[in-house]
Amino acid sequence: MQPRTVLGAATVHRFDAIVVGAGGAGLRCALELSEHDYSVAVISKLYPVRSHTGAAQGGVGAALGNEEEDKPEWHFFDTVKGSDYLGDQDAIELMCEEAIAAVYELEHFGLPFSRTPDGKIAQRPFGGHTRNFGEAPVKRAAYAADRTGHMILHTLFDQCVKKEVRFFNEFYVLDLLKDGDACLGVVAYELATGEIHIFQAKATFIGTGGYGRVYSITSNAHASTGDCMAVCLRRGIPLEDMEFVQFHPTGLRRLGILVSEAARGEGGILRNREDLDNIGSGKDGFMAAVAPTVKDLAPRDMVARAIYDEIKAGRGIDGSGDTGSDYVYLDLVHLGEMVINTKLPDISHFSRTYLAVDPIVEPIPVQPTTHYAMGGIPTDTQGRVMRNARNEPVEGLYAAGEVACVSVHGANRLGTNSLVDIVVFGRRAGADMARYLKDAQFGHIGSEPDAFVRSEIDRLKHGGGKERVADIRKAMQSVMMVNSGVFRTEENLTTARDTIAELRQRYRQVGVGDQSDYFNTELVEAVELGFMLDIAGTIAESALNRTESRGAHSREDYPERDDKNWLKHTFISVDEDGQVSFDYKPVTITKFKPKPRVY
Ligand SMILES: Cc1cc2nc3c(=O)[nH]c(=O)nc-3n(C[C@H](O)[C@H](O)[C@H](O)COP(=O)(O)OP(=O)(O)OC[C@H]3O[C@@H](n4cnc5c(N)ncnc54)[C@H](O)[C@@H]3O)c2cc1C
């Protein structure tokens, strides 16, 4: 039994290490820690296997070379180029080398990968992954049909259960306990009871995923609200490269539900309204002119822009030219029933269920959807959180996965590289925490460590505010989608920034109708909205600040990449009065000098 005491009205727990988040990053970190003789607890606002990692479809990238020749160095090059040269090359090289062992480790944990005829882990091509430094697409994505993330999540959870890792499920972390530059644990709200819990720890890991719900059209789950990025920002930790938001080219029209790049990896082709006669033929579509070598398997930033360019030129399927409502087709018809049903079962099911479109006989209507956070909490390659651009750590605080910025994805993540990121850096963080714990002590948490959380909950429940969460959330999601999306300008980003500032004022008047303590999801949504508004503000500010186009950050008023002035990471901070400031960190460049990005 771990020490459990009461402080005021809060229960205090003490663990050597706590892991916040039970997605792939958190579980991999917890598993590493479980190899040592330390007390460890995982705290998650969702039941672990409902974490968003379970939604990942297409694959995990590693140069296994099971289907054709491949090398970690090629993976390294592709990731650097895909990042538009903003990724830190020391971190990328390490990730691509360790990816191979990480995938075999998952296999040995029992992950049921799809197989080649001779029994090896099957692999398929994915956007931006090439052989021999860009010659042609390469089969690098190891997959379990189109349920790879689901299998990773269940496999890691099973291993954690086997190792008797302690879980606090449906506990919602709302604050970080800090003493100067050290982290002492977290404050959490128990959904089932409405009780406040203080988790005191010598080392704390954050693996709370992304923030896709800041936007109206997204592939992300309802729980992807950027909570702990915002918690860190509020506690004086800057966020890195927040301007870089990935828009995946192929979300189901209007819904944003993802159609994995695996569909194009298996041979799917994007088609515009001038190309309808070619449906089912397997002939090239409009991407052949944009990226002659890799065509539909160009990186996501390029494909998303190409789709919007087609729409703006009046070649979208409805021809309206409206990037909000028009769309293109993803044609899988030529792949045939066998491939679609065995290799892409989930996404064809989504298409049939949500759009009543059967991809075996007709193309799927798609449009770009908000997908992934390249930026986040700054860390080094051991997962240690940095408190500034000078690489000075926050003692005892770690992060990895989508919430973090290490930075391996730079300005644009390649498909399959997030699942690699979570297992490689989740493990590395766990290993470094174990090392750190040898000499670490518990800090002094003071008499009212939960005061801020209590006053926030009290304000939301009993403050008499008349503003409604749903109204503010809808306005935030809409302004971000329209003004801080695939294409950006000073004018529309200023609109986004100013609207978010107004919405934050309105948020102070938010009131929650449900007064109960038990499973008060209305209260949780109100808290999440506060976090999302903070994140939306940092995205708009950072995007306004970066006056160039790079990767997923595409400024129509600054259309060129500007290596002279902007080959650097941005660190945004917001002080207690809401004043925003920026600092910068050079990009680590080792082997690959920046070049124009042509595919
Ligand atoms: C539809 C879809 C398909 C994808 N396909 C692929 C793919 O094929 N290949 C690939 O590489 N990547 C893919 N990705 C991206 C990848 O799945 C994610 O980036 C990755 O799984 C994130 O893992 P994570 O562990 O960082 O976070 P998550 O899996 O999002 O886990 C976050 C955890 O934090 C917890 N949490 C959040 N906030 C709090 C809080 N305040 N208090 C307590 N707990 C909290 C949650 O309960 C959850 O357990 C896909 C993404 C989507 C949306």
Side-chain angles (χ1 to χ4, degrees):
M1 257 329 244
Q2 289 311 306
R4 185 182 157 117
T5 53
V6 174
L7 182 68
T11 305
V12 183
H13 310 260
R14 270 184 154 205
F15 288 91
D16 291 321
I18 52 173
V19 171
V20 184
L27 294 179
R28 187 62 195 84
C29 174
L31 199 52
E32 193 65 20
L33 282 162
S34 75
E35 297 293 329
H36 303 267
D37 199 17
Y38 297 119
S39 57
V40 181
V42 177
I43 307 164
S44 175
K45 76 172 174 180
L46 300 175
Y47 188 74
V49 290
R50 292 189 57 224
S51 300
H52 203 44
T53 294
Q57 300 170 348
V60 45
L64 308 179
N66 282 356
E67 304 241 10
E68 57 183 317
E69 187 187 7
D70 198 7
K71 297 178 180 175
E73 201 187 358
W74 297 349
H75 188 184
F76 172 23
F77 169 78
D78 290 337
T79 304
V80 171
K81 185 176 170 187
S83 82
D84 217 347
Y85 295 90
L86 194 78
D88 286 325
Q89 296 187 15
D90 53 343
I92 297 175
E93 183 169 20
L94 184 156
M95 178 180 83
C96 296
E97 278 171 0
E98 294 189 6
I100 295 174
V103 168
Y104 285 129
E105 185 182 61
L106 289 170
E107 182 188 38
H108 297 162
F109 286 158
L111 196 150
F113 281 109
S114 297
R115 298 281 161 182
T116 62
D118 56 350
K120 293 178 183 162
I121 294 173
Q123 295 187 274
R124 61 180 157 213
F126 241 76
H129 290 277
T130 68
R131 89 171 124 77
N132 204 15
F133 308 104
E135 243 173 48
V138 72
K139 293 180 178 177
R140 186 174 290 147
Y143 62 94
D146 56 359
R147 300 168 182 143
T148 314
H150 176 91
M151 299 305 181
I152 289 179
L153 193 62
H154 281 260
T155 302
L156 290 176
F157 184 55
D158 285 353
Q159 291 295 320
C160 284
V161 170
K162 184 172 145 194
K163 293 280 187 173
E164 298 182 351
V165 171
R166 177 89 190 269
F167 282 89
F168 289 86
N169 298 329
E170 299 186 327
F171 277 62
Y172 188 17
V173 169
L174 301 184
D175 200 8
L176 208 58
L177 296 174
K178 272 187 79 199
D179 181 18
D181 293 325
C183 174
L184 311 181
V186 298
V187 183
Y189 172 87
E190 185 179 0
L191 284 155
T193 63
E195 275 180 45
I196 303 291
H197 295 252
I198 293 159
F199 288 88
Q200 203 183 353
K202 297 174 189 169
T204 300
F205 172 89
I206 299 177
T208 50
Y211 54 63
R213 284 283 150 183
V214 162
Y215 286 81
S216 57
I217 296 182
T218 178
S219 62
N220 284 199
H222 287 277
S224 299
T225 48
D227 305 345
C228 285
M229 278 188 207
V231 163
C232 283
L233 191 70
R234 290 175 185 181
R235 289 293 166 201
I237 298 166
L239 297 179
E240 183 175 352
D241 291 342
M242 290 300 283
E243 58 273 39
F244 298 104
V245 180
Q246 179 160 83
F247 298 90
H248 193 293
T250 57
L252 289 186
R253 186 186 178 208
R254 291 209 185 97
L255 301 169
I257 294 171
L258 195 75
V259 182
S260 167
E261 211 164 85
R264 281 171 287 134
E266 295 296 344
I269 297 169
L270 290 163
R271 304 208 178 275
N272 62 23
R273 72 194 320 247
E274 294 179 355
D275 200 15
L276 301 181
D277 289 346
N278 286 327
I279 288 167
S281 69
K283 287 186 184 157
D284 284 347
F286 60 82
M287 281 309 298
V290 180
T293 309
V294 294
K295 301 174 187 168
D296 292 81
L297 285 176
R300 291 171 180 176
D301 57 333
M302 294 177 78
V303 184
R305 278 195 293 276
I307 290 175
Y308 272 178
D309 285 342
E310 292 302 308
I311 289 173
K312 285 200 275 186
R315 293 190 293 270
I317 301 301
D318 75 15
S320 67
D322 178 353
T323 52
S325 62
D326 204 353
Y327 58 101
V328 296
Y329 278 142
L330 176 61
D331 174 13
L332 308 183
V333 176
H334 57 288
L335 301 183
E337 189 169 350
M338 176 76 171
V339 169
I340 292 175
N341 284 346
T342 55
K343 294 192 167 174
L344 307 167
D346 272 5
I347 57 178
S348 14
H349 177 68
F350 295 152
S351 175
R352 288 182 197 115
T353 305
Y354 297 110
L355 295 183
V357 167
D358 183 354
I360 293 170
V361 291
E362 55 190 328
I364 308 174
V366 291
Q367 65 180 149
T369 181
T370 314
H371 186 59
Y372 185 82
M374 265 79 72
I377 303 168
T379 73
D380 66 7
T381 53
Q382 312 301 326
R384 298 183 308 163
V385 171
M386 299 295 133
R387 65 185 148 92
N388 55 37
R390 296 184 301 284
N391 286 337
E392 291 174 317
V394 180
E395 279 293 303
L397 186 61
Y398 289 78
E402 193 169 339
V403 74
C405 180
V406 47
S407 135
V408 284
H409 310 301
N412 174 63
R413 173 173 75 84
L414 291 189
T416 78
N417 271 353
S418 174
L419 294 179
V420 185
D421 174 354
I422 62 180
V423 286
V424 167
F425 292 105
R427 186 194 67 74
R428 291 183 73 84
D432 203 71
M433 286 167 83
R435 178 200 59 74
Y436 175 82
L437 283 170
K438 281 186 194 144
D439 303 314
Q441 305 293 328
F442 286 107
H444 179 60
I445 55 171
S447 60
E448 281 191 288
D450 55 344
F452 171 73
V453 166
R454 279 188 192 286
S455 72
E456 252 321 85
I457 291 176
D458 191 53
R459 177 182 73 80
L460 290 166
K461 275 175 87 173
H462 308 298
K466 295 287 175 260
E467 289 280 6
R468 289 282 153 254
V469 168
D471 298 338
I472 299 178
R473 188 174 52 208
K474 194 168 173 201
M476 169 194 71
Q477 291 171 332
S478 162
V479 77
M480 290 302 285
M481 199 73 217
V482 174
N483 294 286
S484 190
V486 172
F487 288 111
R488 301 158 169 197
T489 62
E490 180 172 341
E491 194 185 346
N492 65 22
L493 288 168
T494 305
T495 303
R497 183 193 61 186
D498 295 349
T499 309
I500 296 299
E502 284 163 25
L503 294 173
R504 289 175 74 180
Q505 289 301 322
R506 283 176 59 190
Y507 179 73
R508 290 172 189 222
Q509 307 307 321
V510 157
V512 167
D514 184 350
Q515 299 292 304
S516 80
D517 288 332
Y518 309 107
F519 285 104
N520 190 336
T521 51
E522 193 185 346
L523 175 67
V524 169
E525 286 185 19
V527 176
E528 285 176 341
L529 176 61
F531 291 143
M532 285 194 287
L533 285 166
D534 287 0
I535 296 301
T538 62
I539 294 169
E541 293 278 8
S542 303
L544 250 178
N545 181 54
R546 186 176 281 270
T547 49
E548 67 156 353
S549 288
R550 183 184 296 271
H553 174 63
S554 192
R555 290 279 303 250
E556 289 182 299
D557 42 357
Y558 296 93
E560 301 301 324
R561 192 175 84 194
D562 175 2
D563 287 339
K564 187 160 166 276
N565 295 302
W566 285 107
L567 190 56
K568 58 189 179 187
H569 300 288
T570 50
F571 279 55
I572 185 170
S573 301
V574 183
D575 70 15
E576 284 177 4
D577 301 323
Q579 289 303 309
V580 170
S581 58
F582 286 99
D583 202 353
Y584 300 95
K585 193 174 106 175
V587 175
T588 304
I589 294 174
T590 57
K591 281 197 183 146
F592 302 110
K593 303 281 170 267
K595 285 190 187 156
R597 220 165 132 240
V598 180
Y599 285 90

